[in-house]
């Protein structure tokens, strides 16, 4: 059995669904038996749904908002099912109600799994398409696993079906020493340890969801990062138990909250730490601040419910150097300055790669 996951960058237009469908057909034609495909929403769709909901009600309940955000993946699953069916392949799709994944309420972390529904679907179909980033809670209500959490769905399904690998396809073939869209000189990392890529993800790297990586490590699932191009499949990085590399990450959507006193900051920091949310203590303009690095949507829900007095809330960009256990963090408010700093820091770490690229090596 094969577990594949396709991110939203694969679905920029209807042709994207046809391209993925053809790839699935090729895999079946070359002898692969059953395939489970996890899909993300079309690129930009989740942001559009969130904006539409908040335009109607800025105080929409978390469960109401989660149900709306999950629609993007449901639509994507239906569209891919249509494209695969057009090729004459027996196919069906499942959303969070039928995947057999049960979460708690609130944070929506995986509590239990039942492989029965997917196995039953595979008995009647060669391909099962799963809507990513969603499940149900104990009450049977739809829950949303978070932004970019379709990776987590793919890893959970691989584990529950007793498969030890899954393939994750995005617009880049693997994990780089920096975001190749911002740092052209970034180098592809052929193999990397779970812990290393999880740290990169928590500090801004978007190639894999940190929750998926951490779940994969606990359950022994190897992740193969790939890219589907017009020339075929490019295999980039294997995420497994070993391998490390220095890297520079850029978090573009970090949130900084400032407080009048250190006690208020520490209280919120402790709460967020209980929910495994990555934060950094900062000081700005003689005020005590806390920079939220991961799971910002969920974190802000917690912040609103605390009643802890705060002076201001703002967004920032964070450039982080990750070198084994050493982390150097820079908060930069301006996008161009943040990108420039990231390139400078990367050049300091990998001068040879930069020199060769520009003919100086």
């Amino acid at each position: 059995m094969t577990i594949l996951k396709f991110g939203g960058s694969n679905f920029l237009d209807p042709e994207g669904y046809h391209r993925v469908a053809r790839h699935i057909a090729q895999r079946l034609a070359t002898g692969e038996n059953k395939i489970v495909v996890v899909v993300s929403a079309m690129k930009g769709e989740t942001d559009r749904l969130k904006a539409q909901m908040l335009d109607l009600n800025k105080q929409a309940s978390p469960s109401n908002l989660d149900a709306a955000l999950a629609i993007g993946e449901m639509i994507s699953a239906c569209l891919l099912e249509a494209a695969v069916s057009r090729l004459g392949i027996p196919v069906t799709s499942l959303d969070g109600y039928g995947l057999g994944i049960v979460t708690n309420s609130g944070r929506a972390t995986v509590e239990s799994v039942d492989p029965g529904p997917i196995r039953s679907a595979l008995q009647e179909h060669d391909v099962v398409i799963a809507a990513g980033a969603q499940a149900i809670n104990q009450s049977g209500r739809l829950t949303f696993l978070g932004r970019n959490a379709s990776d987590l769905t793919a890893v959970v399904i691989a584990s529950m079906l007793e498969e030890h690998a899954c393939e994750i396809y995005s617009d880049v073939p693997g994990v780089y020493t920096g975001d190749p869209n911002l740092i052209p000189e970034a180098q592809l990392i052929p193999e990397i340890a779970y812990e290393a890529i999880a740290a990169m993800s928590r500090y801004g790297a978007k190639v894999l969801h940190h929750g998926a990586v951490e779940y994969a490590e606990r359950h022994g699932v190897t992740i193969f990062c790939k890219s589907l191009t017009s020339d075929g499949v490019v295999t980039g990085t294997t995420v497994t138990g070993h391998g490390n590399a220095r890297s520079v990450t850029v978090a573009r959507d970090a949130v900084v909250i400032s407080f009048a006193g250190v006690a208020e900051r520490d209280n919120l920091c402790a709460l967020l730490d209980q929910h495994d949310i990555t934060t950094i203590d900062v000081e700005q303009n003689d005020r005590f601040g806390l920079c939220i690095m991961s799971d910002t949507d969920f974190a802000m829900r917690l912040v609103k419910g605390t009643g802890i007095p705060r002076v201001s809330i703002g967004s920032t960009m964070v450039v982080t150097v990750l070198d084994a256990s050493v982390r150097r963090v820079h908060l930069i408010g301006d996008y161009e300055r943040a990108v420039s700093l990231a390139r400078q820091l990367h050049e300091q770490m990998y001068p040879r790669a930069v020199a060769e690229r520009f003919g100086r090596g």
Side-chain angles (χ1 to χ4, degrees):
M1 191 180 306
T2 304
I3 315 299
L4 312 176
K5 180 262 175 176
F6 290 90
S9 59
N10 292 281
F11 306 126
L12 300 179
D13 52 37
E15 174 53 28
Y17 292 94
H18 289 303
R19 184 184 305 110
V20 172
R22 291 193 295 269
H23 176 71
I24 293 168
Q26 291 169 1
R27 300 286 289 261
L28 292 170
T30 55
E32 296 186 32
N33 187 19
K34 300 288 186 176
I35 299 178
V36 178
V37 185
V38 178
V39 295
S40 298
M42 294 182 72
K43 191 169 185 178
E45 183 69 3
T46 302
D47 286 333
R48 187 189 68 81
L49 289 167
K50 181 180 179 180
Q52 192 172 27
M53 283 291 294
L54 296 180
D55 280 346
L56 289 170
N57 181 4
K58 295 188 183 303
Q59 304 302 320
S61 70
S63 60
N64 184 204
L65 189 58
D66 283 353
L69 296 182
I71 292 172
E73 279 77 13
M74 292 179 181
I75 293 173
S76 206
C78 291
L79 291 173
L80 184 57
E81 179 184 354
V84 172
S85 177
R86 185 180 180 182
L87 299 178
I89 298 170
V91 58
T92 191
S93 61
L94 300 173
D95 58 27
Y97 292 106
L99 288 176
I101 303 173
V102 178
T103 70
N104 61 357
S105 298
R107 180 66 190 276
T109 54
V110 177
E111 289 195 336
S112 65
V113 296
D114 175 11
I118 296 180
R119 290 195 185 280
S120 296
L122 287 167
Q123 288 179 354
E124 300 181 14
H125 304 88
D126 292 339
V127 178
V128 172
I129 299 166
Q134 56 191 256
I136 58 170
N137 61 19
Q138 294 287 356
S139 301
R141 191 175 181 93
L142 192 72
T143 56
F144 188 57
L145 296 174
R147 290 296 187 97
N148 306 311
S150 294
D151 295 345
L152 176 58
T153 304
V155 171
V156 171
I157 290 175
S159 175
M160 67 194 284
L161 296 178
E162 299 181 332
E163 297 294 327
H164 298 292
C166 70
E167 303 172 20
I168 294 184
Y169 290 76
S170 67
D171 57 348
V172 293
V175 181
Y176 285 77
T177 55
D179 185 342
N181 296 311
L182 302 179
I183 306 172
E185 300 81 16
Q187 301 180 53
L188 181 68
I189 305 170
E191 186 173 26
I192 192 167
Y194 298 110
E195 183 179 2
I197 181 57
M200 291 172 65
S201 175
R202 286 181 175 276
Y203 281 84
K206 298 295 186 183
V207 66
L208 286 174
H209 187 274
H210 64 83
V213 176
E214 290 157 1
Y215 195 97
E217 182 175 20
R218 290 196 302 272
H219 295 270
V221 177
T222 299
I223 299 174
F224 295 99
C225 301
K226 300 187 176 185
S227 183
L228 188 61
T229 71
S230 57
D231 297 325
V233 175
V234 177
T235 301
T237 303
T238 300
V239 181
T240 183
H242 47 82
N244 205 348
R246 295 171 297 166
S247 63
V248 177
T249 63
V250 180
R252 297 181 235 188
D253 53 0
V255 175
V256 175
I257 305 175
S258 63
F259 305 88
V262 69
E264 290 86 349
R265 181 187 69 183
D266 290 348
N267 288 338
L268 181 59
C269 183
L271 173 65
L272 296 178
D273 187 59
Q274 290 175 11
H275 290 274
D276 195 31
I277 295 171
T278 303
T279 61
I280 302 168
D281 290 349
V282 297
E283 290 189 23
Q284 292 182 325
N285 301 322
D286 297 325
R287 290 199 177 112
F288 300 97
L290 189 67
C291 181
I292 301 172
M293 296 293 300
S294 67
D295 303 299
T296 52
D297 286 348
F298 178 71
M300 292 311 296
R301 292 183 188 179
L302 293 175
V303 170
K304 290 179 181 178
T306 62
I308 297 174
R310 47 199 182 271
V311 176
S312 65
I313 299 177
S315 60
T316 190
M317 299 188 66
V318 182
V319 179
T320 306
V321 175
L322 296 170
D323 187 355
S325 61
V326 178
R327 292 171 189 170
R328 302 199 308 273
V329 180
H330 307 265
L331 273 65
I332 309 291
D334 179 75
Y335 174 80
E336 296 297 335
R337 287 180 55 226
V339 172
S340 176
L341 176 61
R343 290 174 177 168
Q344 292 173 26
L345 293 171
H346 189 275
E347 183 174 359
Q348 291 172 12
M349 287 195 300
Y350 295 98
R352 181 177 300 177
V354 176
E356 290 175 352
R357 178 178 177 83
F358 290 98
R360 300 196 301 266

